[in-house]
Amino acid sequence: MYEAFLKEGEGILRLAPTWVPRAFCIPGKRIRLHPDDYYVLGLSRGGIDERWFASTTHAENGPETPDDEGLSYVVSADGKSRVLLRDMVAKMGGALIGDALWDKYHRWPMFSKFFDNKGPLPHHIHHREEHAARVNASGKPEMYFFPAQYNNHGGTFPFTFFGITPGTAKAEVRACLENFSKGDNCLLDLSQAFKITLDTGWDVPPGVLHAPASLCTYEPQFASDVYAMYQSVLYGGECVSEYLLWKDCPAEEKGNFDYLMDVIDWDVNIDPYFKQNRFMAPLVITTDSKHCEEWICYKCPTVSAKRLTIYPGETVTVTDEAAYGMILIEGRGKMGKWEIETPTLIRYGELTSDEFFVSHDAAVKGVTITNTSATEPLVMLKHFAENPELTRLLARKD
């Protein structure tokens, strides 16, 4: 059965949209979901402000969460058959994602998403490997990119707080955590914000506090959904549940503020050169009269992303050294045997032709892509796990 999906797409799998609600978020309404459908899952589940890509990771959204929330489905060309990408990877292994990746992880170890919030998020943290392992999870590095195509407005606060202001004492941060349930714990007083520029990105290692801006953000990340909210009251006055302060904390450590402090990678958070070390402007890989390909997320060895732009009326064949998921963000055309197009509006549960997964062998052989528009560029974002091409790039920079 799984081989039939791969054969039908000639090594390229069509994926159905994967929508994820968050009870603590207010949708920014830029991910092209129909306006009537942002709360289609019910008010108790919260608004839909995320779309996940190439995901074999379950969304951790509390006791009401369905078993398949956050998981991508592979769908047939006629839309009548579907299987979980997670199950297909488990069955096909290296034949789908490449032997090196399968031998190391025995799973597809990343996913990406559009995160689309009207306001900023609380200053929060994703756990490093040693802390995530204590709750049977993986550490979570993630990267940000802010595509202009999905940001027609900046929301209420287009600035992101990163880390802790250099010179801050650990005792000051600990006091904020201890005051979490007493009102605004003033954690942002100890951080610094950066104005976000469209079509650029940031590297956010695990253990780094961050309060993301109110922009629609493309986020390649490791296959994990661990986090904890360290800020108690948001910029707009919304309160954060204390439950989220202790989320993904081992039962025996709940109430232990020293443990919460240990989750913080202190040296990275107070780095006086944080922007120089974490900001990412696009790096051109190839450019000619037909297309331009760039690295857009490239400072993390385990997750990365490229942007591919094909100019009107042009056809190119693009090779890569690793399997990848992709999301089309502008234009229309063909990719291999598939017709591809960027949707204007999507109903919940509706299929699209903007998201695909390219198997390892197909990526290495090369994917032929045609822009069928005479006027508009075709633009896609491609998300990878470990990519040998990036490994070589990072080695040269070292």
Side-chain angles (χ1 to χ4, degrees), residues 219-236:
E219 299 186 12
Q221 56 204 267
F222 200 79
S224 175
D225 198 27
V226 293
Y227 64 89
M229 300 294 182
Y230 278 24
Q231 179 188 350
S232 58
V233 179
L234 292 177
Y235 173 77

Side-chain angles (χ1 to χ4, degrees), residues 125-129 138-142 203-210 226 263-265 268-269 300:
I125 201 163
H126 300 295
H127 300 63
R128 289 175 281 168
E129 192 66 33
S138 298
K140 185 179 177 179
E142 62 184 15
D203 172 34
V204 187
V208 170
L209 285 160
H210 53 293
V226 293
V263 171
I264 300 172
D265 189 332
V268 178
N269 276 270
C300 175

Side-chain angles (χ1 to χ4, degrees), residues 92-106 323 360-361:
M92 301 194 71
L96 181 58
I97 66 171
D99 290 336
L101 209 58
W102 176 253
D103 291 345
K104 183 173 182 177
Y105 293 106
H106 294 286
H360 176 269
D361 288 351

Side-chain angles (χ1 to χ4, degrees), residues 242-318:
E242 190 174 1
Y243 160 78
L244 295 175
L245 174 66
W246 301 103
K247 184 184 179 298
D248 295 315
C249 180
E252 64 273 19
E253 300 289 4
K254 290 185 178 178
N256 180 1
F257 291 98
D258 289 333
Y259 181 80
L260 296 183
M261 289 296 299
D262 191 58
V263 171
I264 300 172
D265 189 332
W266 190 259
D267 289 340
V268 178
N269 276 270
I270 63 169
D271 180 6
Y273 301 102
F274 192 94
K275 181 174 182 179
Q276 292 91 323
N277 290 329
R278 303 298 165 196
F279 176 77
M280 295 178 295
L283 294 178
V284 174
I285 303 168
T286 303
T287 182
D288 56 30
S289 62
K290 294 185 176 183
H291 77 300
C292 178
E293 188 165 42
E294 305 154 288
W295 282 111
I296 55 172
C297 297
Y298 49 82
K299 290 193 173 184
C300 175
T302 53
V303 292
S304 58
K306 294 178 178 180
R307 176 173 60 182
L308 174 63
T309 301
I310 300 173
Y311 302 127
E314 300 294 349
T315 296
V316 297
T317 298
V318 179

Side-chain angles (χ1 to χ4, degrees), residues 147-160:
Q149 291 88 346
Y150 274 78
N151 280 290
N152 59 309
H153 66 87
T156 61
F157 194 81
F159 303 81
T160 293

